[in-house]
């Protein structure tokens, strides 16, 4: 039966109509709210393409049930991290380093890196690789991605 669900996404309160309270957050973001930053990759919590922030923590939205989101929890997607005019430091660093090939993994890489840098000052290259170890890139863009995160870590 259709029901309403309230969410806080990118700083705004939104209401969506859903049939299944256990629908993945990713589907609500992409299909109900037209936020296409988060991608469907594996759907199995394995690749990271669907990563968003919930209360500042990087989560895999493909397996996060809407029913598990508590009222008031803040969801941030790639679209809410920064804007074209005022990109987040990680978004800017990815552009500066041209750290993408097909781009499919980049949402997850940026969202994971942004959450990581918010809690980690001056990470080493090894720290960055460890933080992104569970985000898959099939294009082999890893070297540029790590350079971009390192660059972001040194900018304010
Ligand atoms: S689509 Fe969510 S982890 Fe792969
Ligand atoms: S840039 Fe293509 S999957 Fe990473």
């Amino acid at each position: 039966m259709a029901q309403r669900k309230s969410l806080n996404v990118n700083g705004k309160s939104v209401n969506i109509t859903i049939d299944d309270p256990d629908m993945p957050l990713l589907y609500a973001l992409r299909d109900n709210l037209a936020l296409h930053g988060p991608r469907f990759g594996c759907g199995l919590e394995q690749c990271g393409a669907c990563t968003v922030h919930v209360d500042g923590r990087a989560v895999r939205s493909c397996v996060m049930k809407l029913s598990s989101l508590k009222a008031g929890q803040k969801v941030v997607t790639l679209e809410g991290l920064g804007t074209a005019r005022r990109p987040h430091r990680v978004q800017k660093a990815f552009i500066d380093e041209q750290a993408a090939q097909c781009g499919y993994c980049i949402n997850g890489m940026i969202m994971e890196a942004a959450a990581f840098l918010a809690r980690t000052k001056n990470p080493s290259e090894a720290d960055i690789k460890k933080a992104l170890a569970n985000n898959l890139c099939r294009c082999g863009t890893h070297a540029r991605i790590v350079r971009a995160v390192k660059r972001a870590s040194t900018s304010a």
Side-chain angles (χ1 to χ4, degrees), residues 19-41:
D19 290 320
D20 179 1
D22 288 340
M23 184 171 85
L25 171 61
L26 178 62
Y27 299 0
L29 295 173
R30 289 184 61 87
D31 299 340
N32 296 73
L33 300 173
L35 294 167
H36 297 146
R39 305 289 173 84
F40 185 96

Side-chain angles (χ1 to χ4, degrees), residues 54-69:
V54 174
D55 290 344
R57 194 168 52 90
V59 304
R60 306 261 156 127
S61 64
C62 67
V63 293
M64 177 162 229
K65 296 174 180 175
L66 284 176
S67 59
S68 72
L69 268 177

Side-chain angles (χ1 to χ4, degrees), residues 26 39-51 59-63 104 134 136:
L26 178 62
R39 305 289 173 84
F40 185 96
C42 62
L44 297 168
E45 205 176 359
Q46 300 289 309
C47 73
C50 63
T51 303
V59 304
R60 306 261 156 127
S61 64
C62 67
V63 293
Y104 208 86
N134 293 321
L136 306 185

